[in-house]
Amino acid sequence: MSKAQRVAVFDTTLRDGEQAAGTRLGSRDKLTLARQLARLKVDIIEAGYPASSPEDFEAVERIAREIEGPIICGLSRAVPEDIEACGKALAKAKKPRIHTGIGVSDIHILGKFRDEKYGKTLGEKKAKMVRMAVDAVKRARTHADDVEFYAEDSGRAEPSYLFEVLEAAIDAGARVVNIPDTTGYAVPEHYGALIGSIRERVPNISRATISVHCHNDLGMAVANSLAGIRNGARQVEGTINGIGERAGNAALEEIVMALRTRSDYFGLTTGVDTRELVRTSHLVSDLLGIAVPPNKAVIGANAFSHSSGIHVDGFLKDRETYE
């Protein structure tokens, strides 16, 4: 398939997924799961946030050293210490990526950067965020050619400012720009239109891949992700079983199977080996101690079970009547 027809799959189960309340993965468990994600043939594994703890640094370092196939990615904030930690943890990776970024919505900027050292007014703070974004990408590029920039809370950001930040990040060297709906605020029409407007309004967007990263607070993470893909995103981020902060992330197994099952509609594909989805789902459930609901799409125990007599009769006559 051509590049335009293929969607890169970015798995963040080991980073964003592990942030689900009450869960924790040690470095050995992360390595076990990373091996399975490599068998699943995801394109990118976000192995962790190296600056967050010595154990997470060790996990990213081990995965970077031992896992072959996927790009190995580490997360950082737009601060030098985080980026340096990522660079060190990923030093032995054959295909390293640093994922750095900053908040772009007014509520994030005013809430998280209220200290006057970032500026006294909202306008001053916004200008400072652009400079911080550029500096972060440039620093990350000293450690890895492959740098992804996340514009946190894009779903609630003022669009013209978002476009300005993305343009600056791409000029600084970002190869991928991530458009997170961090709080699960968007709806599909809105989010799809946002991705479309980025393609139209960011002058240098042809030099970067647009990535979608959606949360499930309103139950629309998968729908929003697919709307973003329909409007030109060619990387999708999510987790196995949809685990993650609060109500979770977009479930990768649902996105992958939607693209595969409805290839007539999307005209797109991924490199994922779908035969490994159930095995991966079970491993994630076992390691994190989060049971998969029986009615969960694609990988739930009841996803291919039938109870109604009408359904069973039709299925026995022709499987495709109900599957």
Side-chain angles (χ1 to χ4, degrees), residues 27 47 65 122 124 132 137 158 167 201 249 253 259 275 320:
S27 60
R65 186 172 62 247
L122 177 59
E124 289 176 353
M132 288 177 66
V137 172
E158 196 273 313
E167 182 181 3
R201 300 282 299 280
N249 289 48
E253 65 276 1
L259 293 175
R275 297 169 297 181
E320 292 192 5

Side-chain angles (χ1 to χ4, degrees), residues 25 28 166 244 296:
L25 289 173
R28 182 179 299 176
L166 295 177
K296 171 73 172 63

